[in-house]
Amino acid sequence: MIRKSFIVFHFLFILWGLSVSGQKPEDLLTNWSDKSPVEKVYLHLDKDNYIAGETVWFKSYLYSDFYPDTISTTLYVELLNGSSVPISVKILPVVYGNTKGQFELPDTLATGYYFIRAYSLTMLNHSDEFLFKQTIYVSGSKQKTVPVPVTGAMKVEFFPESGTFVAGLPNTIAFKITDLYGSPVNTTGTVLSEAGDSVAELSCYHDGMGMFDFKPSGTVKYYVLLNNDESRTKYYLPPVSSTGMVFRLIPNAQGRYFEIYQQPGNVSLKPDYLIGQMQHRVVFKMKLNGEKNDLNGFISTKELKSGILQVTVFNKDDMPLAERLSFIDNKEYLQSAELITDTLNFLERGFNHYTLSFPDTVGGSFSVAITDPDYSLEIAKKENIISSLLLTADLKGYIHNPFYYFSAAVDSATYAADILMMTHGWRRFKWTELAGISSRPLSYKDAGFITISGKVNIRDTKKPLTQKELFVLLFPFEDSLNSSMQFMGTDAEGRFRMDSLVFFGKTRFFVSDMLGKKSKWLDIHPDMDSIRIVSSLSALDAQQFLWTKNTRPGYDFSKLNYDYESILKANGEMLEGVTFKVKKKSAVQELEERYASGLFSGLTEKTIDLVNTTEKIYQNNIFDYIQGRVAGIKVEKNGLNYQLFYRQRFSLTGGPIPMQIFLNEMLTDARLVATIPANQVSMIKVYSSFVGAEGNGNGGVLAIYTKKGADLTNALSTSADIFQYKGYSIMKEFYSPDYAIVSPIHSTQSQQDNRITLYWQPDIIIDGADIKFPIRFYNNDRTKKFRIIVEGMTSEGKMLFIEKTIAPATKGF
């Protein structure tokens, strides 16, 4: 199969694209880069395969201009099925270029491959082909049909080095040979003319890729025959062009030599200068002597950052003539660290202790995963933070084992990377389109975390509540105890705005006009969600992620299937033939079970159920509701301050003792409780004394519970001064058992510990000199080897990657 050369410029089109702007190419690129910098993201996952019902843990690293990304404040992470349909989407806050999260895999997922895609809003201003993508394997309910590789079928692509296959000039042709699923095929072959004359030999250097040189004739077609190909398929090279130039880059330890060959007579194709850019930043501009037909020179790259360098040849009219990519690897990005074994124990539930040691002064964020390598699809990690952010994030298509280009011997990796640069299209921008791109407004902008805005009207009117300071109380649905408060003001049109907010999960907002008796009932009309977007992204090419490329030879999938079946059996255990007779609980008892805990679940003088009542609750706050309803409680109000007294109890000094007030079982000031509308309270409990309060609650204790779950949902539908907003996805903590604690759960052997991920720590934040971070965990009941992977990035943009597999015979590092 022939791929058209990807840098063939039609002169008239170029002339229209650049010259009309009146700006130099480097100025256009700088303007575009300042407006929309290149951003990348990498996800460190705890492992590469899962069982349906398990949790996928991940840590995200955002990167821009060779440093941790400070542009984006929100990251979107999608879990997709093979048809690119989202199963789950996580929206996460980004702080100092980092965030973390998890996917709870449904236990109904079918066996097969799934995809994870991650991006920020501003990344969508560029092509979605460059978004982070990764495959995971899930062993689940039903076995999907696994595609069987078609043997013998191959795809052969050719890439002239500078984009054009020019007659009469020495050309270098790179090639890539894969099977129909994109896996590399290493083979040899012969390049022949249409007449059958051999002009060059073809031999793969690395992963189905290689290159060959020859000087073509302008009127001849050329093709390749692969050795051992019984079909004798002819794979044709691109058509030979009678015009154009050849631009070559030759890697050197200190930089890159370049050669330019051109045919005489065409003034428009005379080279005038070179521009080199990395990450949309111009890193050099070099003047050329275009009067010569053959040019050569040297580009020093030792002072450049590592990554992909794009070198473009321009004529005197600023028209791009040819370009070439080259990978620069100066190793300046490497952060050193040492993993030290303190205690190694492969026994069942044995304790292990390692130390992550940083020898120098370092500030940064890191993550550690420890898993059972026998359950990994890969013998060694093929993609990591280094290869992703410096290489694959800037290339299109599937790259087989990208970390090879960083871990192999220098000469081998350099030569292989040079071929890779010629065989993968790279198009974050086109020079001919820069003038138009840089002048257009951006489609996406980062909002700076969560912004909540809207309008406040006086209840049951269209009249706005203008120029007022309002009190806002935030209560998460999942954790009513973790409340917070804000103040916000309205403008002359009654509009409000709160920005730079960070909160998690569904959250209810109580809005109050704190003017005592003059307080107004409010209608709140919030605007649309600021962090949830509707964006149509391209479907993923599932062929890039098939098992034929990502699974180590001989991997036993039945181990995962066995674990999945064991989980189902454990979850499905039932008592058969036993009939239980229980007394039906009252509504108040059920309410107590849902809300009260610990000491608060004890006996009370009075419990008031505000969930199941048929009474219409209209009071501004719960204290106004209590007045006159609970015998023995006296409510005193002084402005915004409330005090409650129970049965006029007096202290030894003679003064009355006020009741202590608990909100969601936390000791709380009455002024805070007074801001909560009475219809948002689910239950009130009155105690004459309470051992959990100071002085045993001698003045009495009032426990107030705000509504949650279904109770809250029903309440929200009837209150106009309350609205709900879905914040960032809730971040959960990884559970790691502590078998040093003697408890029925830890001491019994009846429950088998088959964890594959033994340790996950995404929150290693360090800042200082000679930092030593302890890593402690307990083994499960079966693992005999540990795989430890450490990844991370410093505040200076240096990256750390450590991968160690520890077995009983290799206790040392």
Side-chain angles (χ1 to χ4, degrees):
M1 178 179 179
I2 302 174
R3 172 177 172 173
K4 293 181 180 179
S5 55
F6 52 86
I7 309 174
V8 179
F9 298 103
H10 189 283
F11 179 70
L12 292 178
F13 175 73
I14 298 171
L15 185 62
W16 176 83
L18 277 178
S19 63
V20 294
S21 71
Q23 289 183 284
K24 291 290 185 180
E26 62 269 31
D27 296 330
L28 289 170
L29 182 58
T30 298
N31 291 342
W32 171 236
S33 182
D34 290 342
K35 185 177 181 179
S36 182
V38 173
E39 297 176 86
K40 309 173 188 178
V41 59
Y42 169 76
L43 266 59
H44 176 193
L45 275 61
D46 63 315
K47 53 185 179 177
D48 57 17
N49 64 86
Y50 299 87
I51 299 168
E54 281 191 318
T55 299
V56 178
W57 302 95
F58 61 83
K59 169 74 173 285
S60 304
Y61 297 91
L62 281 76
Y63 187 67
S64 182
D65 275 341
F66 305 103
Y67 287 92
D69 185 358
T70 58
I71 300 168
S72 295
T73 59
T74 300
L75 184 71
Y76 301 82
V77 186
E78 302 172 332
L79 175 65
L80 310 171
N81 65 16
S83 301
S84 296
V85 176
I87 297 171
S88 178
V89 178
K90 299 295 182 178
I91 305 177
L92 303 164
V94 177
V95 180
Y96 299 119
N98 300 285
T99 189
K100 65 176 182 178
Q102 73 287 324
F103 286 111
E104 295 83 8
L105 298 177
D107 58 10
T108 55
L109 282 184
T111 296
Y113 283 97
Y114 295 81
F115 312 119
I116 292 177
R117 177 166 60 191
Y119 54 90
S120 70
L121 271 183
T122 47
M123 291 178 190
L124 299 182
N125 290 315
H126 302 263
S127 169
D128 60 18
E129 292 185 86
F130 298 100
L131 303 181
F132 174 87
K133 298 175 284 288
Q134 184 164 332
T135 310
I136 61 171
Y137 178 82
V138 176
S139 181
S141 58
K142 293 182 294 184
Q143 180 70 45
K144 286 185 175 180
T145 302
V146 179
V148 179
V150 180
T151 58
M154 286 184 289
K155 178 180 179 181
V156 182
E157 300 174 276
F158 300 101
F159 307 84
E161 180 170 10
S162 53
T164 308
F165 192 23
V166 187
L169 299 179
N171 287 257
T172 297
I173 307 295
F175 63 87
K176 181 170 66 172
I177 306 175
T178 60
D179 62 23
L180 292 186
Y181 299 104
S183 294
V185 176
N186 291 309
T187 186
T188 59
T190 305
V191 183
L192 302 108
S193 68
E194 195 71 277
D197 298 325
S198 174
V199 296
E201 294 299 318
L202 175 150
S203 179
C204 295
Y205 180 78
H206 174 72
D207 279 347
M209 298 180 294
M211 65 175 83
F212 55 86
D213 298 329
F214 80 104
K215 185 183 293 185
S217 172
T219 59
V220 178
K221 292 183 178 180
Y222 297 91
Y223 63 91
V224 167
L225 285 179
L226 299 178
N227 296 333
N228 302 318
D229 180 8
E230 296 180 357
S231 68
R232 302 292 290 172
T233 301
K234 295 181 179 180
Y235 300 96
Y236 280 89
L237 275 63
V240 179
S241 174
S242 59
T243 61
M245 70 163 50
V246 171
F247 176 44
R248 286 177 163 179
L249 284 181
I250 300 97
N252 176 270
Q254 302 300 315
R256 299 294 183 268
Y257 289 102
F258 68 86
E259 297 174 350
I260 298 177
Y261 301 96
Q262 57 187 317
Q263 295 172 332
N266 193 334
V267 178
S268 65
L269 295 181
K270 290 289 184 181
D272 188 65
Y273 61 92
L274 300 177
I275 285 182
Q277 72 87 15
M278 304 180 75
Q279 302 305 301
H280 293 187
R281 302 290 185 184
V282 175
V283 294
F284 72 83
K285 183 176 181 179
M286 179 183 295
K287 182 68 176 176
L288 300 173
N289 182 1
E291 297 306 317
K292 294 183 178 180
N293 289 330
D294 299 339
L295 301 174
N296 59 72
F298 183 75
I299 302 168
S300 177
T301 60
K302 291 301 292 181
E303 301 304 317
L304 296 180
K305 293 280 191 178
S306 296
I308 295 178
L309 170 68
Q310 178 189 16
V311 184
T312 308
V313 183
F314 291 85
N315 69 6
K316 63 181 181 61
D317 296 317
D318 304 321
M319 305 300 130
L321 305 177
E323 72 180 21
R324 173 76 147 79
L325 303 183
S326 185
F327 184 71
I328 309 301
D329 189 2
N330 287 328
K331 305 296 184 184
E332 86 293 342
Y333 53 83
L334 292 175
Q335 171 61 47
S336 61
E338 185 180 5
L339 198 57
I340 302 170
T341 305
D342 298 304
T343 303
L344 181 64
N345 190 340
F346 291 103
L347 296 177
E348 294 181 5
R349 309 191 182 192
F351 175 72
N352 289 267
H353 181 203
Y354 299 87
T355 298
L356 181 61
S357 176
F358 294 86
D360 304 314
T361 300
V362 177
S365 180
F366 304 88
S367 47
V368 177
I370 302 178
T371 59
D372 185 338
D374 286 341
Y375 285 81
S376 176
L377 298 183
E378 300 175 331
I379 297 175
K381 199 170 171 66
K382 296 178 180 178
E383 178 84 291
N384 57 49
I385 188 171
I386 296 172
S387 60
S388 177
L389 295 179
L390 296 184
L391 183 66
T392 56
D394 286 323
L395 295 175
K396 294 181 180 180
Y398 171 74
I399 299 172
H400 191 76
N401 192 9
F403 192 52
Y404 166 85
Y405 302 99
F406 298 86
S407 57
V410 174
D411 291 343
S412 299
T414 300
Y415 189 70
D418 204 45
I419 301 173
L420 181 71
M421 294 299 100
M422 288 190 279
T423 57
H424 279 74
W426 185 91
R427 274 295 174 273
R428 283 188 179 268
F429 74 93
K430 294 181 180 180
W431 288 104
T432 54
E433 298 175 354
L434 272 180
I437 292 174
S438 59
S439 63
R440 288 198 298 265
L442 297 176
S443 299
Y444 300 94
K445 294 182 180 179
D446 186 87
F449 299 109
I450 297 173
T451 297
I452 296 179
S453 59
K455 189 175 182 180
V456 182
N457 289 343
I458 297 174
R459 174 67 57 84
D460 296 331
T461 73
K462 294 184 178 180
K463 183 179 179 180
L465 184 70
T466 62
Q467 306 294 345
K468 295 291 184 180
E469 186 176 34
L470 301 174
F471 180 81
V472 184
L473 197 61
L474 286 71
F475 279 98
F477 273 57
E478 301 293 331
D479 184 8
S480 297
L481 296 178
N482 189 20
S483 61
S484 61
M485 65 182 71
Q486 298 261 345
F487 288 94
M488 71 178 186
T490 60
D491 62 15
E493 296 179 350
R495 292 196 58 79
F496 67 89
R497 177 184 173 90
M498 296 183 291
D499 55 21
S500 303
L501 300 176
V502 176
F503 57 91
F504 298 87
K506 289 183 180 179
T507 300
R508 51 189 167 171
F509 289 72
F510 301 96
V511 182
S512 174
D513 173 19
M514 296 185 62
L515 292 177
K517 293 182 179 180
K518 296 182 179 180
S519 293
K520 294 187 171 54
W521 288 88
L522 308 176
D523 288 333
I524 312 297
H525 303 282
D527 293 334
M528 294 180 61
D529 197 321
S530 70
I531 60 171
R532 274 156 189 85
I533 60 170
V534 178
S535 179
S536 180
L537 300 181
S538 301
L540 298 182
D541 181 6
Q543 294 295 320
Q544 293 185 16
F545 304 101
L546 290 178
W547 64 276
T548 52
K549 294 181 292 191
N550 295 302
T551 308
R552 62 182 180 183
Y555 182 78
D556 184 8
F557 285 92
S558 64
K559 294 188 297 184
L560 290 173
N561 296 332
Y562 176 79
D563 277 8
Y564 175 69
E565 292 171 0
S566 298
I567 292 173
L568 290 182
K569 290 178 181 179
N571 293 339
E573 288 180 351
M574 300 178 61
L575 293 174
E576 297 181 1
V578 180
T579 302
F580 293 94
K581 293 183 179 181
V582 296
K583 183 180 179 180
K584 181 175 175 59
K585 297 177 182 177
S586 69
V588 172
Q589 288 175 320
E590 291 179 349
L591 193 67
E592 287 255 10
E593 287 188 357
R594 293 205 303 272
Y595 286 91
S597 63
L599 296 174
F600 289 90
S601 60
L603 295 176
T604 63
E605 294 293 318
K606 187 175 183 63
T607 298
I608 302 176
D609 178 357
L610 297 182
V611 171
N612 300 296
T613 181
T614 58
E615 179 185 6
K616 184 174 182 180
I617 301 173
Y618 58 87
Q619 289 78 8
N620 280 336
N621 60 56
I622 199 63
F623 300 138
D624 292 343
Y625 175 84
I626 289 174
Q627 182 77 45
R629 280 181 168 79
V630 181
I633 292 184
K634 179 182 178 182
V635 179
E636 292 186 358
K637 182 179 180 183
N638 182 14
L640 299 179
N641 296 321
Y642 285 83
Q643 276 193 318
L644 280 71
F645 299 94
Y646 187 56
R647 295 178 178 171
Q648 293 297 312
R649 295 184 178 182
F650 291 87
S651 66
L652 295 177
T653 59
I657 304 174
M659 296 184 77
Q660 296 182 46
I661 299 173
F662 287 78
L663 178 64
N664 296 323
E665 301 183 354
M666 297 288 290
L667 186 63
T668 307
D669 188 273
R671 287 174 295 182
L672 176 61
V673 177
T675 65
I676 303 174
N679 63 3
Q680 296 305 302
V681 173
S682 62
M683 182 172 64
I684 304 169
K685 302 188 73 174
V686 181
Y687 301 85
S688 60
S689 63
F690 185 64
V691 295
E694 183 179 355
N696 288 328
N698 288 337
V701 167
L702 187 71
I704 300 168
Y705 295 84
T706 56
K707 293 177 179 177
K708 61 184 179 179
D711 299 336
L712 177 60
T713 302
N714 296 332
L716 286 174
S717 63
T718 61
S719 181
D721 54 359
I722 301 170
F723 64 94
Q724 70 181 41
Y725 193 101
K726 191 173 182 180
Y728 287 114
S729 302
I730 294 173
M731 300 176 179
K732 296 186 177 181
E733 297 297 322
F734 177 81
Y735 169 72
S736 184
D738 183 357
Y739 288 125
I741 299 175
V742 179
S743 70
I745 295 177
H746 294 142
S747 61
T748 182
Q749 296 296 318
S750 61
Q751 186 175 357
Q752 187 78 4
D753 183 353
N754 290 334
R755 290 170 297 130
I756 299 175
T757 299
L758 303 171
Y759 179 88
W760 169 250
Q761 176 53 269
D763 293 323
I764 302 177
I765 310 297
I766 64 171
D767 186 13
D770 299 323
I771 300 293
K772 300 185 185 302
F773 184 86
I775 300 171
R776 303 183 181 97
F777 68 96
Y778 286 88
N779 192 15
N780 58 26
D781 291 333
R782 65 184 181 187
T783 291
K784 302 303 179 185
K785 291 186 289 186
F786 302 141
R787 171 177 288 177
I788 305 176
I789 293 179
V790 185
E791 299 193 82
M793 186 186 303
T794 72
S795 58
E796 298 300 315
K798 290 189 175 183
M799 291 175 247
L800 174 66
F801 175 70
I802 299 174
E803 180 176 19
K804 300 287 185 182
T805 298
I806 315 301
T810 57
K811 294 185 179 181
F813 285 82

